[in-house]
Amino acid sequence: MSKVQMSDLELIDIHTHAFSTSEMGIGWQHLVGMKDPSRPGTADELLGLMKKAGISRSVMLMYTPTRFIYESRIRENPLPSDPREREKAERELKSQVVQQMVQNNEWACQESKKHPELIAFAGLDPVYMDERCLLNEIDDKVR
């Protein structure tokens, strides 16, 4: 019986993150505590690293740091004290945060179409997305 060699296997990386721009990649790395990131985290960089390592496919997990975005925007522009105005401002801010997530998912799906070796894993957030929004995003990205 012969032993299996690494060259006999298809290597699939099931946990990667990629970003549409270097600025977004560097920013996310700073957000998670990397003081001096050495890589920008773009899809092109990921494709190059995959080739170099002999990885045939990679799953891009689309993590949008919704809570951090929401909280940082509130720090920059505090919410109104009037309850009605506050509720309206919170709704608008949550909508903007969700839109950022949807745009990130859209980008990942487009990259997967251009590069079939990249698999988009859409991000969702049940805290910031209501049921209708969640189901719409799933339906949109699966089809």
Side-chain angles (χ1 to χ4, degrees):
M1 182 190 304
S2 64
K3 290 187 175 186
V4 175
Q5 302 293 316
M6 285 299 288
S7 60
D8 298 330
L9 303 174
E10 179 180 13
L11 300 178
I12 302 171
D13 189 336
I14 63 165
H15 188 143
T16 66
H17 297 279
F19 303 89
S20 58
T21 66
S22 296
E23 294 77 21
M24 286 182 71
I26 297 290
W28 181 81
Q29 291 174 73
H30 284 145
L31 187 68
V32 297
M34 295 180 78
K35 292 186 186 345
D36 191 22
S38 60
R39 296 188 178 121
T42 62
D44 287 338
E45 178 190 33
L46 176 58
L47 290 164
L49 291 169
M50 288 169 59
K51 186 174 182 175
K52 186 176 177 181
I55 296 169
S56 61
R57 303 191 79 187
S58 284
V59 178
M60 297 185 303
L61 301 174
M62 296 315 299
Y63 170 71
T64 303
T66 50
R67 187 188 85 194
F68 297 111
I69 294 169
Y70 182 84
E71 290 174 355
S72 72
R73 290 189 184 166
I74 288 174
R75 278 192 300 276
E76 292 168 8
N77 296 305
L79 293 170
S81 56
D82 177 84
R84 285 190 194 129
E85 289 179 28
R86 182 182 188 92
E87 184 178 325
K88 181 182 177 203
E90 285 179 322
R91 260 194 327 274
E92 289 173 3
L93 182 52
K94 283 182 179 181
S95 176
Q96 292 169 9
V97 170
V98 167
Q99 188 56 38
Q100 176 69 49
M101 181 183 302
V102 169
Q103 288 172 352
N104 289 343
N105 289 339
E106 287 291 331
W107 171 81
C109 289
Q110 291 303 316
E111 287 298 301
S112 290
K113 287 178 184 171
K114 287 193 302 191
H115 306 284
E117 61 270 42
L118 298 177
I119 302 164
F121 188 105
L124 301 170
D125 189 327
V127 173
Y128 291 92
M129 301 169 96
D130 62 22
E131 181 179 359
R132 181 187 53 77
C133 184
L134 284 164
L135 293 173
N136 285 344
E137 185 65 357
I138 291 167
D139 187 56
D140 183 56
K141 298 312 178 278
V142 171
R143 294 178 198 258

